Amino acid sequence: MSLPTALTLSHQLIQSVLQPGAWAVDATVGNGHDTLFLAQSVGDQGHVHGFDIQAEALARAEALFRKHQVQERITLHQRSHDQLAKTLPPDWRGRVAAVMFNLGYLPKGNSSIITRCETTLPALSQALEWLSPGGILTAVLYTGHPGGKDEADRVLRFAATLPPRQYRSIRYQTMNRDYAPSLVAVIKSKKQTATKA
Ligand SMILES: C[S@@+](CC[C@H](N)C(=O)[O-])C[C@H]1O[C@@H](n2cnc3c(N)ncnc32)[C@H](O)[C@@H]1O
């Protein structure tokens, strides 16, 4: 048996939650591999919205989707993921089964264009708000690039301080390898307790 990487485990966890016909979001489309995985998991009755700030990433991703003939079930936005709440269809609020974040920079792209705490943290908050009860958010964190460790620490703190009645958050990381990516996964409770005004 081999232990999964952080990214593989994120796919496995999401796969266990996503049903055909579900709605999902990729908050960092990049080359499109995670969006493709989401689109294949939700099937032709489901839909995926994807965000990336780079035109180059979206162009590569679109080519991948066409190759796999899943472009009809994906809507892409060249927009920062902290615009998620302003961008998703209003009827998606509270009904998104899975949201993926794969942070850092575009592989084989400009490594100075990276995800940043100022937008990552608001995007994570919005994503949790839009998740359905029982839905899952995953974030793969990288620390090998400038700014990565700070962002990873802030995301870990965010996940560690979520109210335990509403969310369960876990962390997974290879311990004996420098700069090994870590996975944060957050499940939204099926039973949401009303918060007092
Ligand atoms: C590690 S890559 C994502 C890999 C991708 N999921 C895949 O399957 O290939 C991170 C991506 O986040 C994008 N990004 C950076 N800041 C962003 C932001 N504020 N909103 C959305 N995407 C952002 C980068 O352009 C880059 O393409």
Side-chain angles (χ1 to χ4, degrees), residues 174-185:
T174 299
M175 296 170 72
N176 59 345
R177 198 169 292 170
D178 289 341
Y179 306 118
S182 40
L183 168 67
V184 166

Side-chain angles (χ1 to χ4, degrees), residues 44-118:
D44 57 9
Q45 299 301 308
H47 203 82
V48 181
H49 280 264
F51 293 80
D52 204 293
I53 51 174
Q54 292 194 69
E56 182 187 350
L58 296 178
R60 289 187 202 171
E62 271 175 334
L64 184 71
F65 306 153
R66 276 195 299 276
K67 188 172 153 201
H68 290 269
Q69 300 182 336
V70 293
Q71 69 274 22
E72 301 287 313
R73 34 185 124 142
I74 298 167
T75 306
L76 291 177
H77 307 276
Q78 190 183 347
R79 197 175 272 201
S80 172
H81 39 220
D82 66 335
Q83 300 301 304
L84 181 148
K86 288 187 184 153
T87 307
L88 293 184
D91 62 335
W92 276 44
R93 194 184 187 105
R95 298 174 67 192
V96 177
V99 183
M100 284 192 80
F101 288 78
N102 190 345
L103 301 176
Y105 59 86
L106 179 67
K108 300 194 186 120
N110 182 342
S111 61
S112 69
I113 303 176
I114 54 171
T115 53
R116 296 178 185 278
C117 299
E118 306 85 79

